[in-house]
């Protein structure tokens, strides 16, 4: 595997020299915390700007997701969600990130075709509007599968959004949760829409964010090779020694 990225939830976990030495990308997850977004986010941005000056590797930001629904029919919830997404996009712009990841917010239990179509169309309007508002953001927005039990749900959403700078972050751990669809089918169906992967594993019941076994890693490598895909791979699990972990992955 190449294009490896490590996910961190606090700047104290970022070792600039080590990341550059290992050619390791960084995914910043601090700003999923609504308390930080409410107070102290600008100081944290300044800290990251200093630490990341001239950083040559892939840089990503995970956007907020808790209790957000940017296409809500409740105007207050929609406004609050819009403001949080806009805040994250502006943080990403300040840090000059390559990617910002947002959860799809798809509710898989809503299956009525007209409601699904309406929701997807509202998402298209939302993303066109908000990306127009954030001028000079040169990064890519990635929509991450969360509760979907079928890859067609997120494929249809991203197809309808239909923007060249909106692709998919395929979260393997989320796909494993109670999904009736094999991992190969997720990769086969989403295919080159997959720009980025969140790699972690679980028991199929809880979102445990476990370290993948060597067999798990070989399976993912085999599937990516089969479909000629070379996405960024973000390690979204606890790592004690990142150098050893990279050796295990490649």
């Amino acid at each position: 595997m190449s294009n490896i990225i490590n996910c961190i939830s606090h700047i104290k976990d970022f070792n600039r020299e080590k990341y550059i030495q290992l050619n390791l990308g960084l995914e910043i997850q601090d700003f999923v915390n609504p308390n930080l977004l409410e107070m102290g986010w600008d100081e944290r941005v300044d800290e990251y700007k200093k630490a990341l000056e001239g950083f040559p590797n892939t840089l990503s930001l995970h956007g907020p997701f808790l209790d957000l629904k940017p296409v809500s029919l409740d105007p207050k919830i929609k406004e609050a969600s819009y403001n949080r997404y806009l805040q994250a996009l502006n943080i990403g712009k300040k840090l000059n990130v390559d990617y910002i990841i947002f959860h799809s917010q798809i509710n898989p239990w809503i299956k009525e075709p007209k409601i699904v179509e309406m929701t997807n169309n509202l998402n298209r309007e939302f993303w066109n509007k908000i990306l127009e508002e954030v001028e000079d953001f040169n990064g890519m927005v990635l929509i991450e599968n969360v509760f979907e039990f079928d890859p067609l749900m997120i494929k249809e959403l991203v197809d309808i959004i239909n923007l060249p700078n909106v692709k998919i972050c395929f979260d393997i751990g989320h796909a494993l949760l109670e999904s009736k669809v094999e991992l190969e089918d997720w990769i086969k169906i989403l295919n080159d829409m997959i720009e980025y992967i969140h790699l972690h594993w679980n028991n199929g019941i809880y979102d445990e964010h476990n370290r993948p076994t060597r067999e798990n890693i070989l399976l993912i490598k085999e599937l990516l090779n089969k479909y000629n895909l070379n996405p960024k791979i973000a390690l979204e699990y606890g790592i004690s020694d990142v150098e050893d972990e990279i050796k295990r992955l490649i």
Side-chain angles (χ1 to χ4, degrees):
M1 288 183 184
S2 59
N3 300 321
I4 298 175
I5 294 164
N6 192 40
C7 301
I8 65 169
S9 56
H10 197 283
I11 191 169
K12 65 179 175 57
D13 297 321
F14 177 53
N15 182 330
R16 176 192 171 90
E17 290 72 24
K18 176 73 75 175
Y19 277 60
I20 291 175
Q21 175 197 339
L22 297 173
N23 193 26
L24 181 65
L26 174 67
E27 180 179 318
I28 299 167
Q29 296 194 342
D30 307 40
F31 300 100
V32 305
N33 183 345
N35 294 320
L36 179 61
L37 291 173
E38 195 66 17
M39 184 180 297
W41 66 270
D42 43 355
E43 289 91 346
R44 186 67 56 83
V45 168
D46 287 341
E47 288 182 77
Y48 270 114
K49 281 185 74 173
K50 290 175 186 173
L52 289 165
E53 187 176 357
F55 184 64
N57 303 337
T58 301
L59 182 60
S60 309
L61 175 73
H62 200 305
F65 58 87
L66 290 171
D67 302 322
L68 300 179
K69 189 176 181 182
V71 296
S72 173
L73 297 180
D74 184 318
K76 293 292 186 186
I77 293 172
K78 184 176 181 179
E79 180 185 12
S81 300
Y82 188 92
N83 289 337
R84 282 293 187 233
Y85 277 53
L86 185 61
Q87 186 180 17
L89 285 162
N90 279 315
I91 289 170
K93 180 179 169 181
K94 287 175 185 289
L95 295 177
N96 196 28
V97 301
D98 301 294
Y99 301 101
I100 302 185
I101 301 113
F102 291 98
H103 285 186
S104 70
Q105 309 293 4
I106 290 173
N107 182 345
W109 301 109
I110 298 176
K111 301 176 185 178
E112 206 284 317
K114 288 185 179 178
I115 297 178
V116 172
E117 182 182 10
M118 178 193 71
T119 302
N120 286 342
N121 285 331
L122 288 171
N123 265 293
R124 180 177 58 204
E125 293 173 16
F126 168 80
W127 284 110
N128 274 274
K129 179 182 176 184
I130 201 167
L131 289 176
E132 221 175 79
E133 184 169 347
V134 186
E135 296 179 0
D136 302 324
F137 172 62
N138 299 315
M140 182 172 287
V141 166
L142 302 172
I143 309 295
E144 176 184 340
N145 60 296
V146 184
F147 301 118
E148 299 90 325
F149 44 75
D150 187 321
L152 289 172
M153 293 176 173
I154 191 166
K155 181 181 187 304
E156 184 179 345
L157 171 62
V158 175
D159 276 339
I160 288 174
I161 292 171
N162 192 28
L163 290 170
N165 55 340
V166 176
K167 288 200 173 183
I168 288 174
C169 168
F170 175 43
D171 190 295
I172 289 175
H174 294 164
L176 291 170
L177 284 173
E178 301 183 25
S179 176
K180 304 297 187 289
V181 179
E182 297 292 329
L183 277 179
E184 177 166 1
D185 291 321
W186 280 87
I187 290 171
K188 179 180 179 181
I189 289 167
L190 298 181
N191 209 281
D192 59 1
M193 299 173 82
I194 301 173
E195 175 76 16
Y196 194 103
I197 283 177
H198 272 161
L199 178 61
H200 55 103
W201 226 262
N202 59 59
N203 60 6
I205 300 172
Y206 303 114
D207 190 16
E208 299 169 297
H209 283 256
N210 288 334
R211 181 181 189 234
T213 65
R214 184 61 185 164
E215 290 74 19
N216 299 150
I217 292 165
L218 290 174
L219 170 63
I220 297 302
K221 291 174 76 169
E222 177 187 330
L223 292 174
L224 293 177
N225 287 334
K226 180 175 180 177
Y227 293 97
N228 196 29
L229 300 175
N230 188 31
K232 308 290 184 186
I233 308 287
L235 313 181
E236 206 176 25
Y237 53 91
I239 297 171
S240 56
D241 187 318
V242 71
E243 189 167 0
D244 284 348
E245 189 65 12
I246 289 174
K247 290 175 184 174
R248 196 174 74 96
L249 288 164
I250 60 176

